[in-house]
Amino acid sequence: MNAIYHHFIIRAELKKVFDAVSMPKHLVQWWPKTCKGVPARGEEYNFFFEEPYDWYARVSELEKDKFIYFKMTKSDPDWDPTTFGFELVPHEKGTYLKFFHRDWPEANDHMKYSSFCWAMLLDGLRNYVEKGLVVPFEERE
């Protein structure tokens, strides 16, 4: 199986970063257009981007302020077998975020494009948490 990894520092406390990657009201500030879900193991999230991208995932692992993993349940055929997640580690400058998106069936063009998109979106996450900047949904990759 294939995977995407992005690791970087966010100059903010763990709780603030965890909320930004787990709470729908914060997720919509840097990733989907709308989002519903509860950060608890086994709970379902709905990540809506635009038609036909109305995707669902289940929280497969979670420890508050440490990590959250999402197992895709209804999405694109390439994404359906995948799990993505955020692991947070205390760092002298704030929080070290370790992002993964694994279990891709092929290292195809879609996976490579998704890696680029994740990098751009995660930069948006960093700017949102550190500076309160929000990129309008229509301008996100």
Side-chain angles (χ1 to χ4, degrees):
M1 288 293 186
N2 302 283
I4 296 166
Y5 296 97
H6 296 290
H7 296 188
F8 58 99
I9 295 167
I10 297 179
R11 294 177 186 270
E13 64 182 36
L14 285 168
K15 181 183 180 347
K16 188 172 183 180
V17 178
F18 185 79
D19 287 351
V21 299
S22 65
M23 303 292 291
K25 71 180 183 178
H26 295 294
L27 285 160
V28 299
Q29 302 303 313
W30 65 271
W31 189 33
K33 186 172 189 175
T34 65
C35 182
K36 294 178 186 170
V38 176
R41 189 176 176 157
E43 291 294 320
E44 183 176 71
Y45 273 65
N46 173 225
F47 303 108
F48 178 78
F49 303 92
E50 60 190 10
E51 291 299 338
Y53 305 103
D54 188 11
W55 292 2
Y56 291 83
R58 177 181 41 81
V59 177
S60 59
E61 298 288 335
L62 176 134
E63 187 172 336
K64 187 170 174 33
D65 298 336
K66 291 191 177 181
F67 59 83
I68 186 167
Y69 302 168
F70 295 93
K71 168 66 179 94
M72 297 306 297
T73 58
K74 180 186 168 211
S75 59
D76 182 276
D78 283 341
W79 279 56
D80 277 345
T82 68
T83 298
F84 69 92
F86 305 87
E87 298 174 357
L88 311 176
V89 179
H91 188 276
E92 63 185 26
K93 294 181 180 177
T95 302
Y96 188 64
L97 186 141
K98 297 194 284 185
F99 169 83
F100 69 84
H101 190 170
R102 59 185 177 225
D103 300 325
W104 285 81
E106 295 181 58
N108 60 16
D109 284 343
H110 187 203
M111 180 192 146
K112 294 169 187 172
Y113 180 74
S114 293
S115 180
F116 170 79
C117 290
W118 274 123
M120 300 301 290
L121 291 162
L122 291 168
D123 188 51
L125 163 65
R126 184 181 52 79
N127 282 320
Y128 170 64
V129 173
E130 289 181 358
K131 303 172 188 169
L133 298 175
V134 176
V135 174
F137 175 78
E138 295 74 20
E139 296 176 22
R140 297 177 201 160
E141 284 294 327

